[in-house]
Amino acid sequence: MRTIFHIDVNSAFLSWSAVQLLKDGSMLDLRTVPSAVAGDSESRRGIILAKSTPAKKYGIVTGEPKGFALQKCPQLICVPPAFSLYTKNSEEMFRILSNYSDRIEPFSIDEGFLDYTGMEQLFGSPLEGAKKIKEHIKKELGFTVNIGISSNKLLAKMAGELEKPDKIITLYPEELEVKLWPLPVEEMFMVGRRTAPRLRKMGVRTIGELARYPVTLLEKEFKSYGRMLNAYANGIDDTPVAHAEAVQEVKSIGNSTTIPYDVEEREEAYKILLSLAETVAMRLRGGGVCAREIGVVIKTTDFQVYSHQTKLFNAIDCTNAVYETAKKIFDEAWKKEPIRHLGIRAGHLCSEECIQLSILDEDWSKEKQADAAMDLIRRKYGRDTVVRSTFIGGIEPAFGGGSLKINHLRK
Ligand SMILES: [Mg+2]
């Protein structure tokens, strides 16, 4: 039997901002008062990206506009997001984790899996090992994590959700009936906002009821996704903990283009990125998947190649979301050398059930509708019928062969 840990930072963005403020000499620990990280925190329209445990008690939820949150809790302290700080904290946490196993798979910016199998001789029983990791992170980086322990990734992740913060929780297969099955079906991993009401309508209220529901009926309603949900409710998952590099390699959709002239202007590069984003996002939507990671590859005229990527707080499939993320990465990576080749890669793919809440703090629901309309028109009348105004006067949408790769999708 394997031993898998799921490590998850408690209120990651909020904790990381709080720790930094303390380091900078602040007397107030944001984690101890109602507080939140809100995008565009000057405006009331900014979206809550993370909140403290005291803020949770006021019913404040991630994804709601700051204005709503302030109505629930007028004394709520809001701070703006600091994405480079988050990336740094994330990297440092994964560096610590790498001391405890060589099999670590980042799942998002603030959570990942660690295969602890065989590590008992070095660090003790799973509970002892998890305690060491949790204390190590707290001591060195100043924030708390939840660690879920089980015999597979799915159950380890579900375990970590059971109670927060700063907890180590086991959810072994023999504990399912007591710990998991009584929970409402909404709590199940991969049961999204659209699926839950449909399950309820079928009379499935708890995870246990989902586990016992006839698979054939679930398949009739949800196709293969139904079979997967049933397996998950029964705690079945045998996917290995992938090495960080392998995850990016095989689970991605990308497109790139070689430019017939040297690109030296930022605006020019943006146009190419937009055209690449179009194709990549369209392929994501076509494949019914969302990306949790966007990468940009830049090749310079002197054949230097460098690539940068960003893990997203939530998965995306909108053209503009892909484009905005790619632009951000490009701005951070580009050292102003002339460019000959640009690429965008969307990785860490997952089913489109993922919540569409962007790290860039925007509501993409309107974009989604526009994207769907464009996809439809293009499929029906040919790809050139709808061209963004940005493209008029030069660069065409990049529909070239590119490198389409949809391999093993994350379940
Ligand atoms: Mg977290």
Side-chain angles (χ1 to χ4, degrees):
M1 198 178 81
R2 298 183 296 158
T3 303
I4 309 295
F5 290 179
H6 175 256
I7 298 99
D8 184 11
V9 181
N10 299 126
S11 312
F13 288 1
L14 195 280
S15 292
W16 290 336
S17 287
V19 170
Q20 188 59 41
L21 283 171
L22 289 174
K23 272 191 203 157
D24 293 344
S26 166
M27 301 300 284
L28 179 70
D29 186 339
L30 285 180
R31 291 169 292 189
T32 63
V33 295
S35 64
V37 173
D40 189 14
S41 62
E42 293 306 305
S43 124
R44 294 176 66 85
R45 285 177 54 241
I47 280 178
I48 302 291
L49 297 171
K51 71 273 175 200
S52 66
T53 307
K56 263 174 222 173
K57 300 205 174 93
Y58 287 87
I60 290 164
V61 291
T62 301
E64 72 178 338
K66 190 183 154 195
F68 289 5
L70 282 169
Q71 275 170 17
K72 294 175 190 168
C73 175
Q75 73 272 35
L76 185 75
I77 299 173
C78 288
V79 294
F83 294 115
S84 57
L85 173 74
Y86 303 157
T87 312
K88 193 175 128 243
N89 272 285
S90 175
E91 283 168 7
E92 283 176 356
M93 178 175 84
F94 283 109
R95 178 181 50 76
I96 288 179
L97 293 180
S98 68
N99 292 320
Y100 295 89
S101 172
D102 59 346
R103 288 143 291 155
I104 293 155
E105 179 185 347
F107 190 63
S108 73
I109 188 162
D110 75 315
E111 57 182 295
F113 296 100
L114 182 151
D115 191 338
Y116 192 74
T117 316
M119 306 311 283
E120 289 87 349
Q121 289 138 308
L122 287 170
F123 307 110
S125 70
L127 278 173
E128 285 166 345
K131 192 157 176 257
K132 282 190 180 124
I133 292 172
K134 196 161 78 69
E135 295 309 317
H136 190 162
I137 292 171
K138 199 193 276 182
K139 191 163 166 248
E140 200 168 312
L141 303 177
F143 56 84
T144 63
V145 298
N146 256 41
I147 301 186
I149 306 176
S150 189
S151 52
N152 64 39
K153 279 157 60 174
L154 170 80
L155 290 178
K157 181 164 169 61
M158 296 290 308
E161 302 289 335
L162 293 176
E163 205 190 331
K164 288 174 180 180
D166 203 14
K167 293 280 189 305
I168 297 169
I169 303 150
T170 64
L171 181 60
Y172 289 112
E174 59 270 22
E175 297 177 292
L176 281 189
E177 207 171 330
V178 176
K179 288 189 177 176
L180 191 68
W181 286 0
L183 299 180
V185 74
E186 285 77 10
E187 308 265 306
M188 186 65 214
F189 178 58
M190 292 296 283
V191 170
R193 288 171 304 171
R194 280 175 289 168
T195 309
R198 285 167 71 189
L199 285 168
R200 290 244 161 207
K201 219 178 248 174
M202 296 163 74
V204 178
R205 291 156 302 175
T206 64
I207 298 177
E209 284 169 348
L210 179 61
R212 288 182 296 257
Y213 207 86
V215 183
T216 44
L217 295 182
L218 286 169
E219 271 188 312
K220 221 171 152 192
E221 176 75 17
F222 299 106
K223 306 278 174 347
S224 62
Y225 175 61
R227 195 180 337 123
M228 188 199 75
L229 284 179
N230 180 265
Y232 278 8
N234 283 292
I236 297 164
D237 162 44
D238 57 8
T239 55
V241 174
H243 289 263
E245 304 78 39
V247 175
Q248 291 168 18
E249 248 308 291
V250 291
K251 299 171 188 175
S252 63
I253 290 177
N255 195 11
S256 63
T257 186
T258 299
I259 311 144
Y261 54 93
D262 295 347
V263 170
E264 295 181 82
E265 296 297 321
R266 189 176 299 272
E267 293 304 319
E268 203 67 34
Y270 281 176
K271 283 184 195 167
I272 296 160
L273 287 177
L274 176 57
S275 94
L276 291 168
E278 293 256 54
T279 5
V280 169
M282 204 171 151
R283 285 167 181 174
L284 287 171
R285 295 190 294 271
V289 290
C290 293
R292 300 161 60 98
E293 184 182 270
I294 298 294
V296 171
V297 181
I298 303 170
K299 281 185 203 166
T300 64
T301 39
D302 52 356
F303 301 107
Q304 282 195 71
V305 183
Y306 51 101
S307 70
H308 284 252
Q309 53 271 321
T310 280
K311 298 231 164 56
L312 299 168
F313 188 49
N314 282 295
I316 55 171
D317 68 357
C318 293
T319 300
N320 264 351
V322 173
Y323 172 53
E324 291 297 333
T325 311
K327 236 166 65 173
K328 233 166 130 8
I329 299 167
F330 176 83
D331 283 342
E332 278 161 19
W334 187 42
K335 301 183 208 95
K336 306 245 157 61
E337 328 83 318
I339 302 165
R340 268 340 260 288
H341 184 101
L342 272 173
I344 295 181
R345 183 156 290 283
H348 269 220
L349 306 181
C350 52
S351 104
E352 63 185 2
E353 268 300 300
C354 313
I355 313 166
Q356 291 281 320
L357 177 78
S358 163
I359 194 168
L360 299 161
D361 186 21
E362 277 181 44
D363 177 7
W364 300 108
S365 54
K366 283 225 180 65
E367 300 282 346
K368 272 186 87 72
Q369 285 171 11
D371 282 342
M374 282 231 248
D375 289 353
L376 199 76
I377 294 168
R378 282 191 175 132
R379 231 171 269 137
K380 213 164 166 188
Y381 303 105
R383 63 176 178 82
D384 292 327
T385 31
V386 189
V387 176
R388 276 167 196 264
S389 56
T390 327
F391 295 127
I392 298 169
I395 299 157
E396 287 280 300
F399 274 87
S403 52
L404 174 62
K405 235 172 44 174
I406 309 180
N407 289 327
H408 178 76
L409 297 185
R410 180 180 294 281
K411 281 184 197 164

